[in-house]
Amino acid sequence: MGDTKVICTAMVEDRVPPFLKGSGKGWITAEYSMLPSSTHTRKIREASRGKLEGRTQEIKRLIGRALRSVIELDKLGERTVWIDCDVIQADGGTRTASITGAFVALVDALKSLHDDKLISTIPIRHFVSAISVGIVKDESVLDLCYIEDSNAKVDMNVIMTGEGEFVEIQGTGEEAPFSRNDLNELLDLAEKGNKELIEKQKQALGEISNFIIKGE
Amino acid sequence: MGDTKVICTAMVEDRVPPFLKGSGKGWITAEYSMLPSSTHTRKIREASRGKLEGRTQEIKRLIGRALRSVIELDKLGERTVWIDCDVIQADGGTRTASITGAFVALVDALKSLHDDKLISTIPIRHFVSAISVGIVKDESVLDLCYIEDSNAKVDMNVIMTGEGEFVEIQGTGEEAPFSRNDLNELLDLAEKGNKELIEKQKQALGEISNFIIKGE
Amino acid sequence: MGDTKVICTAMVEDRVPPFLKGSGKGWITAEYSMLPSSTHTRKIREASRGKLEGRTQEIKRLIGRALRSVIELDKLGERTVWIDCDVIQADGGTRTASITGAFVALVDALKSLHDDKLISTIPIRHFVSAISVGIVKDESVLDLCYIEDSNAKVDMNVIMTGEGEFVEIQGTGEEAPFSRNDLNELLDLAEKGNKELIEKQKQALGEISNFIIKGE
Amino acid sequence: MGDTKVICTAMVEDRVPPFLKGSGKGWITAEYSMLPSSTHTRKIREASRGKLEGRTQEIKRLIGRALRSVIELDKLGERTVWIDCDVIQADGGTRTASITGAFVALVDALKSLHDDKLISTIPIRHFVSAISVGIVKDESVLDLCYIEDSNAKVDMNVIMTGEGEFVEIQGTGEEAPFSRNDLNELLDLAEKGNKELIEKQKQALGEISNFIIKGE
Amino acid sequence: MGDTKVICTAMVEDRVPPFLKGSGKGWITAEYSMLPSSTHTRKIREASRGKLEGRTQEIKRLIGRALRSVIELDKLGERTVWIDCDVIQADGGTRTASITGAFVALVDALKSLHDDKLISTIPIRHFVSAISVGIVKDESVLDLCYIEDSNAKVDMNVIMTGEGEFVEIQGTGEEAPFSRNDLNELLDLAEKGNKELIEKQKQALGEISNFIIKGE
Amino acid sequence: MGDTKVICTAMVEDRVPPFLKGSGKGWITAEYSMLPSSTHTRKIREASRGKLEGRTQEIKRLIGRALRSVIELDKLGERTVWIDCDVIQADGGTRTASITGAFVALVDALKSLHDDKLISTIPIRHFVSAISVGIVKDESVLDLCYIEDSNAKVDMNVIMTGEGEFVEIQGTGEEAPFSRNDLNELLDLAEKGNKELIEKQKQALGEISNFIIKGE
């Protein structure tokens, strides 16, 4: 996505966290990381610090939540899908790029399970993608790059389904509060952006995409 | 707030984090914790685990961000205000109660600095409070208790200023996506709730409250 | 206790640590913490440091040991009672206040188990309370406040039963060694103090108190 | 000491902890560890666990406190003496053996500083040693071995000066409370034991010992 | 290198570790990590475990040592070059591929410093590359892939300069000891492999390569 | 070994790591540590740092690998032998001294198992010992002491069997690369050194030694 590059992968493990054992339901969990060289000044490796930063924890929880909200976990069986989003190059919007890319990896992994006859349907209820919007120098901007993001008065991440409904909205008035009108303007932009992203996801997934839409 | 009880305190330290040294600006940072006995089944102490959970990190960042957005940090001088929110009893909405209560503690601490002639004004730009809203059994609900929160399809925390603008919105379709209409209905409710909370804050602060409003 | 305020709670969990599995015996374990705002200068949260201080470990072990010594663990069944002592405001003697208060919480929790017919007796062998004594400016002092504690030459914590026997004695000549006479004088004072505290515990427990004394 | 063997060393570092910088005073700090093979079943290395156990923290604090109480820290200059007590073989009484041995190492290190003209006196106010006493099968026992310690109803560690005064008393009724008479009997025994240990320390130190006694 | 893919980067920081402060010398340090999806079964992220594995520590030290041995650290000035090797896909030989690739990144970074007139020469004394060799089913093999590596009786990593001398040799008889003859045969192979790798490095570096060879 | 003194012990535990459960095979694992007072300036305790240094991890892995390579793990049964090497005094070559000493402790422990009829043979295939060699001031040196090691241009650790074959070679050109001729000269020296060490091991083991050689 522009100069932001993220490797998104999905790997399936044949067990679930303790709280789901015996439930017949599956789980999706995500991890997120930035390579030290993904930013202008080198980012210290969290493995070297010995702990995840608060920001990383927030993002990994956000990605997991977004993907879980569009899947039927009870049709996945007692399996965990591990989503890994590793940022190779960062120019703003890494968390939204991660969600959009991770969805493609997730469907791809589920397709493999289906091909191997391990699940009878691809249990996706909706497409899901995410985009950032914000107010920079009094103008509403879609998909902020790093420079814009650093100067934004309001910064919002919007996660939406293919049907145009909201999965998650996180908006912050970093330097000043924002009005209901500002909000509406930003959501209109986000809707437009997500519509385009879902088209891109469909192109990337090719035939598998139809497969989902038919509800199979 | 109902059966949710949080001890909110503000303490001032005469130094700032490294990135602000020499800037003349101050800082506000927050910490949040739940006592082990605040929940029905005992919550393991994070100090014993040796690390903060992702949820705790999210909340402490949220509280700090909310308070920083309504204060003029450059008029605080090179001081850090430490906000501590310790949940004694939890029945839903602990993060929003923390923000609402912490604002009162913050103003109180700034008043002391002012009384001691350490700052010339109380550098608050806006009152700020927070409330949760959600959709439970297809109905929009204000200030969800624990049971409601556990059954909510949509869960949203809304932080607003005394002027009715947004400081932060975080809304999640936990089980199903939500529409633009749902969103608008929830925001209306949140506006109503925050208006009441700011009244309560004014009562709690008494005279100091006028002091701020006069812009002094 | 004076300006020292501690929230003491007891929660029962239906399992025991590994070394007691299958033994039929129960366990009592305690945790202790000071809220950051309980002291004059803010105390850094141990959860943020990522580890418990040595002092905290000493105190939590002390509380657990004191309570275990007056209970019949084999009549508790394979249950763990978790004692949490959280200091809200500290003015000396937080560890002794924790023990005295935790005993009341423990009995209260055991009464609930008894009411629910989960245990047939309240398996308490003795009341237990604790008090600090010390030598300040060459005088023996009972229940030292923070200022006294900081200036004490000798500092001693004495844990005693309702029958006036010792459960634990910890005495330190912080700045100078002390004589056998000094020791005897301090123990006399401690005996007096603990007698009063046990009266207070009985008042707090009300009827349950008689229940124990009858050996039921 | 019997089958308990501890390597005690003292090393001098030319700086003090932050709270003493510029005070002109020195510091003594101690560390304690048991080799994995010092016990019958292998003890897991704390370095592998990644943290010190509560018991280790208690003991290291106890050793440091005992030694600091008999030295004039202001005559040490801004230096830290690091005491290391490493248990090679454990048969009860490792903490008391550590204190008794560490005192000899400490004096030895101070003698070197004095020989190098870095300090003008050996700033020791008292000899200090430690011994355990306890009640095993209703009898008072001096210097408990592992088997005795495991069966003791009351267990006490007594740290005393060469003049027979107390530096620290820690006594616990592990299984049953103990009376004032029990206490007195145990303290008599401890006094006898410590007297012998201080004789041994004097023998080990040889001439340096006289050097201290002369007070210069 | 075959199916092994590693992103190698070099970033320059304008300061050195404490032990080099004021020495006028620079430093090179390396970090190494495998993405969770680089292996067949997902590798748990070290940042999530909270610590680096022993294997990772060994490899990061090896890479740093290899690069430092071919550079004149005193001509680098008080700068640290951070080398990051992140394995995207692993099929054996990730540590040797990291060294070979990291050398190219290092030269590239030094060239930038030189272009910016921050250093007067590119202070490289030798080219350096690394390759694995081993004995698989009684035959000497060059550049083992994962399957070969898993079945190797002897496994050796050989780091060499452009002049054919050794920078480091690490050879292990994983299942059986090996003879002097075996060793010689493996070193011959490694020499051949490293010669080819250095050719590849020269191609990758293009003109910069000549620049070094001229000793400038 | 000269002024290097290491306590090497072997303790047997009746279980194996998870990856060997049910395999019928045993395991050997090693830990290594330096006492704080083993070096001239005090070495900070890794238990206090809360993590093992990279160097320690490398050495513990090396010791374990060396011992496992000469034992028939399938004849050990599902047992783990824990090797502990604790350096009491360090003057170079602590890792090689650890291996040489640990082998003796290992055989001793296996002899006990055999005496107790828990294993039917002492499953040792080869004697194993280790020695350091290096190039100091252009001369090849055997068994480097600390001063030599600090000045070595090339530093190599060579682990060999009683039959004179290699178990592991680790050679590093710390300051300059080394030639094939250098390598050969160093290996000749190492062979001579290891031969002597294995004689010492046989003396230390006495009769048990013959027992192994007879293949029993």
Side-chain angles (χ1 to χ4, degrees):
Chain A
M1 292 198 58
D3 282 338
T4 290
K5 296 179 186 172
V6 186
I7 298 181
C8 302
T9 61
M11 298 182 91
V12 181
E13 187 187 31
D14 275 334
R15 56 176 188 175
V16 285
F19 69 93
L20 285 179
K21 258 180 205 160
S23 71
K25 290 178 65 175
W27 192 243
I28 300 179
T29 192
E31 301 209 337
Y32 166 95
S33 181
M34 298 179 82
L35 290 207
S37 57
S38 64
T39 45
H40 282 282
T41 54
R42 185 176 182 274
K43 206 176 149 52
I44 296 174
R45 220 173 263 272
E46 288 176 312
S48 301
R49 282 183 195 271
K51 60 178 178 178
L52 300 181
E53 291 169 31
R55 177 183 174 275
T56 300
Q57 300 239 38
E58 258 180 48
I59 296 176
K60 77 196 249 358
R61 284 159 55 91
L62 178 67
I63 302 171
R65 216 157 52 218
L67 296 178
R68 284 194 301 272
S69 76
V70 297
I71 199 175
E72 292 173 278
L73 293 169
D74 50 353
K75 293 195 181 153
L76 183 56
E78 289 202 9
R79 293 184 180 88
T80 298
V81 185
W82 286 86
I83 300 295
D84 286 288
C85 298
D86 287 273
V87 179
I88 301 304
Q89 196 174 288
D91 185 33
T94 63
R95 78 185 69 188
T96 49
S98 294
I99 292 167
T100 305
F103 177 75
V104 174
L106 171 62
V107 173
D108 208 34
L110 295 178
K111 180 63 168 51
S112 289
L113 287 184
H114 187 259
D115 288 351
D116 294 350
K117 316 266 186 216
L118 294 168
I119 51 178
S120 58
T121 63
I122 295 185
I124 298 286
R125 292 191 293 208
H126 309 278
F127 270 70
V128 69
S129 70
I131 195 75
S132 68
V133 287
I135 300 179
V136 185
K137 295 186 191 157
D138 297 327
E139 279 190 49
S140 298
V141 179
L142 178 67
D143 189 18
L144 287 70
C145 69
Y146 177 73
I147 297 285
E148 289 165 338
D149 189 57
S150 310
N151 293 297
K153 279 202 164 175
V154 178
D155 180 24
M156 192 172 296
N157 293 300
V158 183
I159 311 179
M160 295 179 80
T161 65
E163 287 77 22
E165 291 202 304
F166 300 111
V167 165
E168 183 137 353
I169 297 174
Q170 292 197 339
T172 309
E174 306 238 324
E175 284 174 37
F178 55 100
S179 68
R180 190 79 170 255
N181 276 349
D182 293 335
L183 173 65
N184 283 325
E185 208 172 306
L186 291 172
L187 292 178
D188 290 344
L189 259 188
E191 194 174 335
K192 177 172 161 292
N194 275 314
K195 213 174 264 179
E196 287 174 38
L197 286 172
I198 283 169
E199 275 316 302
K200 296 282 184 191
Q201 288 176 329
K202 287 184 181 168
Q203 284 167 27
L205 287 167
E207 288 207 352
I208 317 178
S209 180
N210 296 323
F211 203 58
I212 301 170
I213 288 163
K214 284 179 196 150
E216 179 55 15
Chain B
M1 290 197 61
D3 281 337
T4 290
K5 297 180 185 172
V6 186
I7 297 181
C8 301
T9 60
M11 296 182 91
V12 182
E13 186 187 33
D14 274 335
R15 56 177 188 176
V16 285
F19 70 91
L20 284 179
K21 261 181 202 158
S23 70
K25 291 177 65 175
W27 191 243
I28 300 178
T29 192
E31 300 210 338
Y32 166 94
S33 182
M34 297 177 83
L35 290 208
S37 56
S38 64
T39 45
H40 282 281
T41 54
R42 185 176 181 272
K43 207 174 148 53
I44 296 174
R45 219 172 263 273
E46 288 175 312
S48 301
R49 282 183 195 272
K51 60 177 180 180
L52 301 182
E53 292 169 32
R55 177 182 173 275
T56 300
Q57 300 239 37
E58 259 180 47
I59 295 176
K60 79 196 247 354
R61 285 158 56 90
L62 178 68
I63 301 170
R65 216 158 50 221
L67 296 178
R68 286 193 300 272
S69 77
V70 297
I71 200 175
E72 291 174 279
L73 293 169
D74 49 353
K75 294 197 180 152
L76 182 57
E78 290 203 9
R79 293 184 180 87
T80 298
V81 185
W82 286 87
I83 300 294
D84 286 287
C85 299
D86 287 272
V87 180
I88 301 303
Q89 194 173 290
D91 185 33
T94 63
R95 79 186 68 189
T96 50
S98 295
I99 291 168
T100 305
F103 176 76
V104 175
L106 171 63
V107 173
D108 206 35
L110 294 178
K111 179 65 168 49
S112 290
L113 287 183
H114 187 258
D115 289 351
D116 294 350
K117 316 264 186 220
L118 294 168
I119 52 178
S120 58
T121 63
I122 296 185
I124 297 285
R125 292 190 295 208
H126 309 279
F127 270 70
V128 68
S129 69
I131 195 75
S132 68
V133 286
I135 300 180
V136 186
K137 294 189 193 158
D138 297 327
E139 278 190 49
S140 297
V141 178
L142 179 67
D143 190 18
L144 287 69
C145 68
Y146 177 73
I147 297 284
E148 288 165 339
D149 189 56
S150 309
N151 293 298
K153 279 202 163 175
V154 178
D155 179 24
M156 192 172 297
N157 293 301
V158 183
I159 311 179
M160 296 180 79
T161 65
E163 286 77 24
E165 290 201 304
F166 300 111
V167 165
E168 184 137 352
I169 298 173
Q170 292 197 339
T172 308
E174 305 239 324
E175 282 173 38
F178 55 99
S179 68
R180 191 77 169 256
N181 277 349
D182 293 335
L183 174 65
N184 283 325
E185 208 172 305
L186 291 172
L187 293 177
D188 290 345
L189 259 187
E191 196 175 332
K192 176 173 162 293
N194 275 314
K195 213 173 264 179
E196 288 175 37
L197 287 173
I198 284 170
E199 275 317 302
K200 297 280 184 192
Q201 288 176 329
K202 288 185 181 168
Q203 285 167 27
L205 287 167
E207 288 207 352
I208 318 177
S209 180
N210 296 323
F211 203 57
I212 301 170
I213 287 159
K214 285 180 195 149
E216 180 54 16
Chain C
M1 290 197 61
D3 281 339
T4 290
K5 296 180 186 172
V6 187
I7 298 182
C8 302
T9 60
M11 297 182 91
V12 182
E13 187 187 33
D14 275 334
R15 56 176 188 176
V16 285
F19 69 91
L20 284 179
K21 259 180 203 158
S23 70
K25 292 176 65 176
W27 192 241
I28 299 179
T29 192
E31 301 210 336
Y32 166 94
S33 181
M34 298 179 82
L35 290 209
S37 57
S38 63
T39 46
H40 282 282
T41 54
R42 186 176 180 274
K43 207 175 149 54
I44 297 174
R45 221 173 262 272
E46 288 176 310
S48 300
R49 283 182 194 273
K51 59 177 180 181
L52 300 182
E53 291 170 32
R55 177 182 173 276
T56 300
Q57 299 240 37
E58 259 179 47
I59 295 175
K60 78 196 247 355
R61 284 159 55 90
L62 178 68
I63 302 170
R65 217 158 49 221
L67 296 178
R68 285 193 301 272
S69 77
V70 298
I71 200 175
E72 291 174 279
L73 294 169
D74 49 353
K75 294 195 181 153
L76 183 56
E78 290 202 9
R79 293 184 179 85
T80 298
V81 185
W82 286 87
I83 300 294
D84 287 287
C85 298
D86 287 90
V87 180
I88 300 304
Q89 194 174 290
D91 186 31
T94 63
R95 77 187 69 188
T96 49
S98 294
I99 291 167
T100 305
F103 177 76
V104 175
L106 171 62
V107 173
D108 207 35
L110 294 178
K111 179 65 167 50
S112 291
L113 287 183
H114 187 259
D115 289 352
D116 294 351
K117 315 268 186 217
L118 293 168
I119 51 178
S120 57
T121 64
I122 295 186
I124 297 285
R125 292 191 294 209
H126 311 278
F127 270 70
V128 69
S129 70
I131 195 76
S132 69
V133 286
I135 300 179
V136 185
K137 296 189 192 157
D138 297 325
E139 279 189 50
S140 297
V141 178
L142 179 67
D143 190 18
L144 288 69
C145 69
Y146 177 72
I147 296 285
E148 288 165 339
D149 189 56
S150 309
N151 293 297
K153 278 202 164 174
V154 178
D155 181 23
M156 192 171 299
N157 294 300
V158 183
I159 311 178
M160 295 179 80
T161 65
E163 288 76 24
E165 291 202 304
F166 300 110
V167 165
E168 184 137 351
I169 297 173
Q170 292 197 339
T172 309
E174 306 238 324
E175 283 175 38
F178 56 99
S179 68
R180 189 77 168 256
N181 278 348
D182 292 336
L183 174 65
N184 283 325
E185 209 172 304
L186 292 172
L187 293 178
D188 290 346
L189 260 187
E191 197 175 331
K192 176 173 162 291
N194 274 314
K195 214 173 262 178
E196 287 174 37
L197 287 172
I198 283 170
E199 276 316 302
K200 296 281 185 192
Q201 288 176 329
K202 287 183 182 170
Q203 285 167 26
L205 288 166
E207 287 207 352
I208 316 177
S209 181
N210 296 323
F211 203 57
I212 300 171
I213 287 160
K214 286 180 193 149
E216 179 56 14
Chain D
M1 291 197 59
D3 281 338
T4 290
K5 296 180 185 172
V6 186
I7 297 180
C8 301
T9 60
M11 298 182 90
V12 181
E13 188 187 31
D14 276 333
R15 56 177 187 175
V16 285
F19 70 91
L20 285 178
K21 259 181 205 159
S23 70
K25 290 177 65 174
W27 192 243
I28 300 179
T29 193
E31 300 210 338
Y32 165 95
S33 181
M34 298 179 83
L35 290 208
S37 56
S38 65
T39 45
H40 282 281
T41 54
R42 185 176 181 274
K43 206 176 148 55
I44 296 174
R45 221 172 262 273
E46 288 176 312
S48 300
R49 283 183 195 271
K51 60 177 179 180
L52 301 181
E53 292 169 31
R55 176 183 174 275
T56 300
Q57 300 239 39
E58 258 180 49
I59 296 176
K60 79 196 250 354
R61 283 160 55 90
L62 177 68
I63 301 171
R65 215 157 53 220
L67 296 178
R68 285 194 301 273
S69 76
V70 298
I71 200 176
E72 291 174 279
L73 293 169
D74 50 353
K75 294 196 180 152
L76 182 57
E78 290 203 9
R79 293 183 181 88
T80 298
V81 186
W82 286 87
I83 300 294
D84 286 287
C85 299
D86 287 273
V87 179
I88 302 304
Q89 195 173 289
D91 185 32
T94 62
R95 79 185 69 188
T96 49
S98 294
I99 291 168
T100 305
F103 177 75
V104 175
L106 171 62
V107 173
D108 207 35
L110 294 178
K111 179 63 168 50
S112 290
L113 287 183
H114 187 260
D115 289 350
D116 294 351
K117 316 265 185 220
L118 293 168
I119 52 178
S120 58
T121 63
I122 296 185
I124 297 286
R125 292 191 294 208
H126 310 279
F127 270 70
V128 69
S129 70
I131 195 75
S132 69
V133 286
I135 301 179
V136 185
K137 295 186 192 157
D138 297 327
E139 279 190 47
S140 297
V141 178
L142 178 66
D143 189 19
L144 287 72
C145 69
Y146 176 73
I147 296 285
E148 289 165 339
D149 190 57
S150 310
N151 292 298
K153 278 201 163 176
V154 178
D155 180 24
M156 192 173 296
N157 293 300
V158 183
I159 311 180
M160 296 179 80
T161 64
E163 287 76 23
E165 290 202 305
F166 300 111
V167 165
E168 183 137 352
I169 298 173
Q170 292 197 340
T172 310
E174 306 238 325
E175 283 174 38
F178 55 100
S179 67
R180 190 77 169 255
N181 277 350
D182 293 336
L183 173 66
N184 282 326
E185 207 172 308
L186 291 172
L187 292 177
D188 290 345
L189 259 188
E191 195 174 335
K192 177 172 161 292
N194 274 315
K195 212 172 264 179
E196 287 175 38
L197 286 173
I198 283 170
E199 274 317 300
K200 297 281 185 193
Q201 288 176 330
K202 288 185 180 166
Q203 285 166 27
L205 287 167
E207 288 207 352
I208 317 177
S209 181
N210 296 324
F211 203 59
I212 301 171
I213 288 163
K214 284 178 195 150
E216 182 44 15
Chain E
M1 292 196 59
D3 282 339
T4 290
K5 296 180 186 172
V6 186
I7 297 182
C8 301
T9 60
M11 297 183 92
V12 181
E13 187 188 31
D14 275 334
R15 56 176 187 174
V16 285
F19 69 92
L20 285 179
K21 260 181 203 158
S23 71
K25 290 176 66 174
W27 190 244
I28 300 179
T29 193
E31 300 210 338
Y32 166 94
S33 182
M34 297 178 82
L35 290 207
S37 57
S38 64
T39 46
H40 283 281
T41 54
R42 186 175 181 273
K43 209 177 146 52
I44 297 174
R45 222 172 262 272
E46 287 175 313
S48 300
R49 283 183 193 271
K51 61 177 179 179
L52 300 181
E53 293 171 29
R55 178 182 172 275
T56 300
Q57 299 239 38
E58 259 179 47
I59 295 176
K60 78 196 252 345
R61 284 159 56 91
L62 178 68
I63 301 170
R65 214 157 53 221
L67 296 178
R68 286 193 300 271
S69 77
V70 298
I71 200 175
E72 291 174 279
L73 293 170
D74 49 354
K75 294 196 180 153
L76 183 56
E78 289 202 10
R79 293 185 181 87
T80 298
V81 186
W82 286 86
I83 300 293
D84 287 288
C85 298
D86 286 273
V87 179
I88 301 304
Q89 193 173 291
D91 186 33
T94 62
R95 78 185 70 186
T96 50
S98 294
I99 292 167
T100 304
F103 177 76
V104 174
L106 170 63
V107 173
D108 208 34
L110 295 178
K111 179 65 168 48
S112 291
L113 287 183
H114 187 259
D115 289 351
D116 294 350
K117 315 264 187 222
L118 294 168
I119 52 178
S120 59
T121 64
I122 295 184
I124 297 286
R125 291 191 296 209
H126 310 278
F127 270 71
V128 68
S129 70
I131 195 77
S132 69
V133 286
I135 301 179
V136 186
K137 294 185 191 160
D138 297 328
E139 279 191 49
S140 298
V141 178
L142 180 66
D143 191 17
L144 287 71
C145 68
Y146 176 72
I147 297 285
E148 288 165 340
D149 189 56
S150 310
N151 293 297
K153 279 201 162 174
V154 179
D155 180 23
M156 191 172 296
N157 293 300
V158 183
I159 310 179
M160 296 179 79
T161 66
E163 288 76 23
E165 290 202 304
F166 300 111
V167 164
E168 183 136 351
I169 298 173
Q170 292 197 339
T172 308
E174 306 238 323
E175 283 175 37
F178 56 99
S179 69
R180 189 78 169 254
N181 276 350
D182 293 336
L183 173 66
N184 283 325
E185 209 172 304
L186 290 173
L187 293 177
D188 290 346
L189 259 188
E191 195 176 333
K192 179 173 160 289
N194 274 314
K195 213 173 262 178
E196 287 174 38
L197 286 173
I198 283 170
E199 274 318 300
K200 296 282 185 191
Q201 288 176 329
K202 287 184 181 169
Q203 285 168 27
L205 286 167
E207 286 207 353
I208 318 177
S209 180
N210 295 323
F211 203 57
I212 301 171
I213 286 160
K214 284 181 195 149
E216 180 53 17
Chain F
M1 291 197 61
D3 281 338
T4 290
K5 295 180 187 172
V6 186
I7 298 181
C8 301
T9 60
M11 296 182 92
V12 181
E13 187 187 32
D14 276 334
R15 55 176 189 175
V16 286
F19 70 93
L20 285 179
K21 259 180 204 159
S23 70
K25 290 177 66 175
W27 191 244
I28 300 179
T29 193
E31 300 210 337
Y32 165 95
S33 181
M34 297 179 82
L35 291 207
S37 57
S38 64
T39 46
H40 283 280
T41 54
R42 184 174 183 275
K43 208 176 148 55
I44 297 174
R45 220 173 264 271
E46 288 176 312
S48 301
R49 282 183 194 272
K51 61 177 178 178
L52 300 181
E53 293 170 30
R55 178 183 173 275
T56 299
Q57 300 240 37
E58 259 180 48
I59 295 176
K60 78 196 250 353
R61 284 159 56 91
L62 178 67
I63 301 170
R65 215 157 53 220
L67 296 178
R68 285 194 300 272
S69 78
V70 298
I71 200 177
E72 290 174 280
L73 294 168
D74 49 354
K75 293 195 181 153
L76 183 57
E78 288 202 10
R79 293 185 180 87
T80 298
V81 185
W82 286 86
I83 300 294
D84 287 287
C85 299
D86 287 90
V87 180
I88 301 302
Q89 193 173 290
D91 185 34
T94 62
R95 78 185 71 188
T96 50
S98 294
I99 292 168
T100 305
F103 177 75
V104 174
L106 170 62
V107 173
D108 208 34
L110 294 178
K111 179 65 168 50
S112 291
L113 287 184
H114 187 259
D115 288 352
D116 295 350
K117 315 268 186 217
L118 294 168
I119 52 176
S120 58
T121 63
I122 295 185
I124 297 287
R125 291 191 297 209
H126 310 279
F127 270 71
V128 69
S129 69
I131 195 77
S132 69
V133 288
I135 300 179
V136 186
K137 294 187 191 159
D138 296 328
E139 279 189 50
S140 298
V141 178
L142 179 66
D143 190 17
L144 287 71
C145 68
Y146 176 72
I147 297 286
E148 288 166 339
D149 189 57
S150 309
N151 293 297
K153 279 202 162 174
V154 178
D155 180 24
M156 191 172 297
N157 293 300
V158 183
I159 311 178
M160 296 179 79
T161 65
E163 288 76 24
E165 290 202 303
F166 300 111
V167 164
E168 183 135 351
I169 297 174
Q170 291 198 340
T172 309
E174 306 237 324
E175 283 174 38
F178 56 99
S179 68
R180 189 78 168 255
N181 277 349
D182 293 336
L183 173 65
N184 283 324
E185 210 171 303
L186 290 172
L187 293 177
D188 290 345
L189 259 187
E191 195 176 333
K192 178 172 160 290
N194 274 315
K195 213 174 263 177
E196 287 174 38
L197 287 173
I198 283 169
E199 275 316 301
K200 297 281 185 192
Q201 288 175 328
K202 287 183 182 170
Q203 285 167 26
L205 286 167
E207 286 206 354
I208 318 178
S209 181
N210 295 323
F211 202 58
I212 302 171
I213 287 161
K214 285 180 195 148
E216 180 53 14

